[in-house]
Amino acid sequence: PRRNDDETAGVGEYGLQLREKQKVRRTYGVLERQFRNYFVEAEGRPGVTGENLLRSLELRLDNVVYRMGIASSRAQARHFVSHGHFAVNGRATNVPSFQLKPGDRIEVRESHRSREPFKLAKETLRSHQAPEWLSIDATSLTGSVVSPPSRDQMPLDLNEQLVVEYYSR
């Protein structure tokens, strides 16, 4: 049986929303349940839900390591973090989803700085342009979160409104 246009009207919109949600999930390397939790948390905070969601994802430790330029991809950053190469505010951590706040200091642990990937990172960091919400010291492989990123400091190719619509149906 042929569908009339009324029955298929919502399918396109839903498909777009689903695709965008999957794109955001893949971009940050987050699984479905964890992503859903980020959304619920973003919804409960004051401000624009979509921006809150992206801000939470941007402030994950693995993403910040990537943004600092120490890792060439988020997957590599996640790997570095989970192998315990980083300390936050002086405490070693191996949790890629660790939520950073303004004022938090991220560093490659002293005992790990002589390893090859970090020697390489030291060279590439000199020319790396980090986002304005991060401050970086290339010589000591440290950085800190200056402020939470605003929407114009986050990736523009993501449409967080479609993600909000997806979860709001």
Side-chain angles (χ1 to χ4, degrees), residues 10-22 162 166:
V11 174
E13 187 69 26
Y14 172 78
L16 275 176
Q17 294 164 353
L18 175 63
R19 234 192 306 319
E20 195 63 23
K21 173 189 70 90
Q22 299 295 55
L162 288 175
Y166 172 83

Side-chain angles (χ1 to χ4, degrees), residues 17-156:
Q17 294 164 353
L18 175 63
R19 234 192 306 319
E20 195 63 23
K21 173 189 70 90
Q22 299 295 55
K23 184 167 118 183
V24 174
R25 270 191 47 221
R26 271 194 311 275
T27 299
Y28 290 99
V30 179
L31 296 177
E32 184 61 46
R33 177 175 285 159
Q34 194 176 21
F35 189 78
R36 174 80 195 186
N37 291 340
Y38 277 116
F39 180 81
V40 169
E41 186 237 331
E43 217 174 17
R45 282 199 312 230
V48 183
T49 302
E51 285 182 28
N52 289 343
L53 174 65
L54 287 183
R55 196 170 294 117
S56 289
L57 293 166
E58 279 291 313
L59 287 169
R60 285 171 50 101
L61 179 56
D62 57 355
N63 185 69
V64 170
V65 167
Y66 167 70
R67 291 274 184 227
M68 286 169 66
I70 292 175
S72 58
S73 68
R74 285 186 181 87
Q76 186 183 42
R78 181 182 184 89
H79 181 85
F80 285 168
V81 171
S82 61
H83 281 267
H85 296 305
F86 289 89
V88 176
N89 299 328
R91 295 183 64 175
T93 182
N94 60 357
V95 181
S97 63
F98 186 94
Q99 277 294 300
L100 296 164
K101 300 176 295 303
D104 282 348
R105 192 168 178 285
I106 304 98
E107 61 186 329
V108 174
R109 292 172 57 200
E110 193 72 54
S111 57
H112 298 239
R113 289 183 193 158
S114 60
R115 297 186 183 177
E116 206 51 52
F118 304 114
K119 285 183 188 172
L120 191 67
K122 218 174 220 181
E123 298 308 310
T124 58
L125 274 182
R126 297 188 206 297
S127 60
H128 178 73
Q129 187 57 53
E132 310 86 85
W133 54 274
L134 286 174
S135 77
I136 292 161
D137 179 3
T139 52
S140 65
L141 290 174
T142 62
S144 60
V145 179
V146 179
S147 64
S150 60
R151 180 58 187 106
D152 60 334
Q153 295 169 325
M154 294 186 250
L156 297 172

